[in-house]
Amino acid sequence: MPSRELIHRTQEVTPTVRELAMVLFRRRRVFVWVAGFVFAGAALYALTGTKYQANMKVMVRRGRADAPASAGEDAPVDLTRLGVTEEELNSEVELLRDDEVLRKVVEDNGLGGRDWLHILRWNEGPAQRTEHEARRLAKRLRVEPIKRTNLINVTYQSADPEQAARILRSVARAYLEKHTVIHRPDGEFSFFDQQRGESRLQLEEAKGKLLEFNSRHGVIAAGQQRDLALQRLSEVDANYRQTEIEVAETQQRVAELESLLAKLPQRTTTQVRVADNPELLKALKANLLDLQLKKIQLLTKFEPTHRLVREVEQQISQAQSAIAAENLKPVRDETTDKDSHYEWAKGELQRARVQLKSLQARQAESAKQETAYRGIARRFGQDAVTQDDLQSNEKAAQERYLLYVKKQEQARIDDALDARGIVNVAIAQQPIVPALPVWSAWTILVVGTFAAVASGAGCAFVADYLDPSFRTPDDVIAYLDAPVLASLPRRGRGRLTA
C-alpha cells in the first residue's frame, strides 16, 4: 500500500517555479537554439526588411450622379438618392482592385525584373511577367472602405518609401481613368444627337398627320365637339319626349272637345215675351166698323134678305170671329242667341287642333334633329378616337424629343466635366512619401526578444513533455506506484537511475 505522503505527491499537479526553471535548465539547448533563431530573424528583419506604408483616401460623392432627365419642364428631383449606398462604395473598392488598373500601374512603374523571382521566370514573356507583377501588387495593395463614411482607405507597403507613394499615385491616375471610362462611355453625346434628330423628324411627321386629319375632317377639338353634340342630342331627345307627351295630351283634349261639342246646342233662347197685337186688333176693329157702316147703308137701300146685305153680315161675322180669336191667342215674342258653352267648346277645339298640328310639326322636326345630332355625335366620336391617337403620338414624339434634347445637353455637360477631370470621386488624401517605417527597428527588436523567449520556452516544454525518461523520484512513484529506496543522478544527462 502506498503511503499517504506518496498519494499526496501523486495528486499534486500544479508545478512550482523551481520545477519550471528546472525544465528550462534541462532543455537549455533547445531554448537557446530556438530563441536565438527567432531573435536573429527579428534582428535581420529590423535591419533589412523595414517596410514603409503610403496611405491614400478616396471619397465617393453624389456630385456627378446622373440627374433625372425628364421631358417635363418641372421634373421632380430624386431626393432618395442623395447619399452614397453601400453597393456603390463596394463597387468603387472593386474598381480600385481591377486587374486592368493594376496592370496599368505595373506598366507605368516598371515593376518586376529586379529580384530573384525574375531570375526564376527568365523564360516568361512581357505579358506573363506583367500579369505576375499585377498579382503581387494586388496582394500588397490593401483597399478597405472606412465604416460609416464615404471614404475608401488605400495602403501600400514597400521597402522604398518613394516607391510606395509613387505606386499609390499611379493607382489613383489609373483608377480615375477607369472610373471615367466606365461611368461615361464614349459616343454618348453623338448618340443622343442622332436620337434627337430622329425624334425631331418623328415629331414633325406626327404634327403633319394631326393637321391633315383636322383639315380633312373639319374638326378642331373632336372630343369637345362630340361632347357638345351629345349634350344637344340629349336636349333634343328630352324636347322630343316632352312634345310627344304634349301631342298625346292635345289629342285627348281634341277628342273630349269634339264629344262635348256634339252634345251642346248651337243656340239658346235668351228672352220670351207674350202680349196682344194692338195694331192687328185695331185693324180688325176698324174693318168691323166699316162693315157695320156699310151694312147700315145697304139696309137703307135693300132688304135684310138681300144678297149684298147678307154678304156684309157674313163679313161682319168673320171680322168679329177674327177679333175674338185674336183676343184668345196673344202674340209670343222669343229672343235666341249663340250658346256660350258651345262657342267656348268650339273655340277650344279650334285652338286644340291648331296646337296639335303645331306640336306634330315640332315633333317631326325634333325627330329630324335627333337623327342629325346622333349622326354628328357618332362621327365626332370616331374622329375623337382617331384625333386622340394622333395627339398621343404627337405628345409622345414631343416628349421623346425633349428628353433627347435634355439628355444631349446633359451629355455635353458631362463631357465638359470629364474634360476638366471633375468626377464623382475625389482623392481626399494624396499619397505622400512616408518618413517613418511601419515598425521601427527597436520595436521589432523588442517584439522579437519577447517572441524569442516565448518560442524558446515553448519548444523546451514541448521537448521535455515528449521525453519518456524519468527525471525525479516522484515520476517513478507516479508511474510504478511503488516506493523508491534510492536515486542516483546520471552525470551529464540529467536523467535518473533507480
Side-chain angles (χ1 to χ4, degrees):
M1 289 294 290
S3 62
R4 183 176 298 175
E5 181 180 0
L6 180 60
I7 295 174
H8 177 71
R9 290 180 180 179
T10 303
Q11 294 177 351
E12 195 177 76
V13 295
T14 304
T16 63
V17 176
R18 183 175 179 276
E19 290 175 346
L20 295 176
M22 288 299 295
V23 171
L24 294 178
F25 181 74
R26 286 194 302 270
R27 304 296 175 183
R28 56 185 176 275
R29 292 183 179 179
V30 176
F31 175 78
V32 170
W33 278 104
V34 173
F37 180 78
V38 172
F39 184 79
L44 181 62
Y45 180 79
L47 295 177
T48 61
T50 303
K51 297 293 184 180
Y52 292 88
Q53 177 175 296
N55 297 312
M56 179 179 67
K57 288 184 174 60
V58 179
M59 183 177 69
V60 183
R61 56 189 179 183
R62 300 292 303 177
R64 281 293 308 283
D66 292 336
S70 174
E73 295 181 358
D74 299 328
V77 180
D78 188 6
L79 299 177
T80 60
R81 291 181 54 81
L82 293 179
V84 178
T85 62
E86 184 178 358
E87 290 77 7
E88 293 174 340
L89 200 63
N90 292 332
S91 299
E92 299 301 329
V93 170
E94 293 301 323
L95 191 59
L96 282 165
R97 298 172 179 169
D98 185 66
D99 293 339
E100 185 177 353
V101 173
L102 298 180
R103 285 194 294 268
K104 179 69 173 175
V105 173
V106 171
E107 293 173 357
D108 291 344
N109 293 272
L111 298 179
R114 295 186 298 273
D115 53 7
W116 59 276
L117 290 176
H118 173 66
I119 300 175
L120 295 178
R121 297 196 297 264
W122 59 272
N123 59 342
E124 290 182 350
Q128 296 176 341
R129 189 177 302 113
T130 301
E131 186 66 27
H132 280 293
E133 294 300 328
R135 292 180 181 179
R136 290 180 60 188
L137 177 61
K139 294 179 181 178
R140 295 181 182 180
L141 188 68
R142 297 183 60 186
V143 183
E144 297 176 350
I146 303 176
K147 294 181 179 180
R148 304 180 67 86
T149 65
N150 295 341
L151 297 175
I152 301 174
N153 188 30
V154 185
T155 60
Y156 181 77
Q157 293 184 359
S158 176
D160 185 1
E162 294 184 356
Q163 185 187 29
R166 186 172 63 254
I167 292 296
L168 287 187
R169 295 193 192 101
S170 181
V171 168
R173 288 193 300 269
Y175 161 70
L176 292 177
E177 293 177 0
K178 184 71 174 181
H179 177 88
T180 303
V181 170
I182 291 178
H183 288 78
R184 292 287 304 139
D186 295 335
E188 186 172 336
F189 178 81
S190 59
F191 170 77
F192 285 126
D193 183 64
Q194 178 184 0
Q195 294 298 320
R196 181 191 62 80
E198 294 178 357
S199 61
R200 179 67 180 181
L201 295 178
Q202 294 175 359
L203 177 60
E204 295 297 334
E205 182 180 359
K207 287 183 177 180
K209 290 182 178 180
L210 180 60
L211 292 175
E212 180 183 359
F213 174 80
N214 294 340
S215 176
R216 186 173 65 253
H217 290 77
V219 296
I220 299 176
Q224 297 179 1
Q225 291 175 316
R226 176 201 57 198
D227 296 340
L228 182 60
L230 289 174
Q231 182 180 359
R232 293 293 301 164
L233 176 62
S234 178
E235 294 175 357
V236 169
D237 183 68
N239 189 18
Y240 177 81
R241 294 181 183 277
Q242 183 64 30
T243 305
E244 191 175 25
I245 295 173
E246 293 179 359
V247 167
E249 291 178 352
T250 306
Q251 289 176 347
Q252 182 65 25
R253 182 180 177 82
V254 168
E256 293 291 336
L257 289 173
E258 288 178 348
S259 176
L260 179 62
L261 197 62
K263 297 177 181 179
L264 293 175
Q266 295 183 0
R267 299 185 69 84
T268 183
T269 302
T270 59
Q271 185 177 5
V272 178
R273 292 184 300 173
V274 179
D276 295 337
N277 193 349
E279 294 180 358
L280 180 59
L281 289 176
K282 183 178 180 181
L284 289 174
K285 289 179 177 182
N287 187 24
L288 178 60
L289 181 59
D290 290 339
L291 290 174
Q292 289 176 350
L293 292 175
K294 184 177 180 180
K295 178 180 178 182
I296 293 172
Q297 290 177 1
L298 289 175
L299 286 176
T300 59
K301 294 178 179 181
F302 302 102
E303 291 292 333
T305 59
H306 191 273
R307 181 179 59 80
L308 292 174
V309 175
R310 290 186 180 274
E311 289 178 0
V312 172
E313 288 180 352
Q314 188 178 359
Q315 291 178 356
I316 290 172
S317 178
Q318 291 177 355
Q320 290 177 348
S321 298
I323 291 172
E326 187 66 28
N327 288 330
L328 294 175
K329 184 180 180 181
V331 178
R332 182 181 179 87
D333 187 10
E334 294 183 358
T335 302
T336 61
D337 197 359
K338 294 181 180 180
D339 188 73
S340 60
H341 298 287
Y342 181 85
E343 295 297 328
W344 173 84
K346 184 179 180 181
E348 289 294 326
L349 179 59
Q350 292 177 353
R351 283 193 294 271
R353 287 175 177 173
V354 173
Q355 185 179 5
L356 178 60
K357 291 182 179 180
S358 175
L359 291 174
Q360 289 175 346
R362 189 173 71 177
Q363 185 181 18
E365 185 64 24
S366 297
K368 293 181 181 179
Q369 289 182 359
E370 183 178 3
T371 303
Y373 279 118
R374 195 179 300 277
I376 292 173
R378 186 181 298 107
R379 181 172 63 83
F380 279 132
Q382 296 174 355
D383 292 342
V385 174
T386 307
Q387 190 180 47
D388 288 342
D389 292 339
L390 294 175
Q391 287 177 349
S392 299
N393 294 335
E394 180 193 8
K395 185 177 180 181
Q398 185 176 9
E399 289 180 353
R400 287 195 300 269
Y401 173 72
L402 294 177
L403 178 62
Y404 285 126
V405 167
K406 292 187 177 183
K407 282 288 189 181
Q408 182 188 11
E409 181 63 17
Q410 185 65 33
R412 187 191 65 79
I413 295 174
D414 291 340
D415 290 341
L417 292 175
D418 292 339
R420 295 177 178 270
I422 303 175
V423 293
N424 62 336
V425 293
I427 307 301
Q429 177 182 337
Q430 293 290 344
I432 59 175
V433 178
L436 298 175
V438 179
W439 298 97
S440 64
W442 289 106
T443 302
I444 295 174
L445 291 176
V446 171
V447 174
T449 300
F450 282 104
V453 173
S455 58
C459 291
F461 281 111
V462 170
D464 189 73
Y465 177 77
L466 296 177
D467 189 0
S469 61
F470 298 112
R471 291 175 288 274
T472 62
D474 294 335
D475 294 341
V476 178
I477 294 173
Y479 185 78
L480 299 177
D481 196 13
V484 178
L485 300 177
S487 63
L488 297 175
R490 181 176 297 180
R491 186 182 300 273
R493 294 289 302 274
R495 295 184 179 180
L496 182 65
T497 301

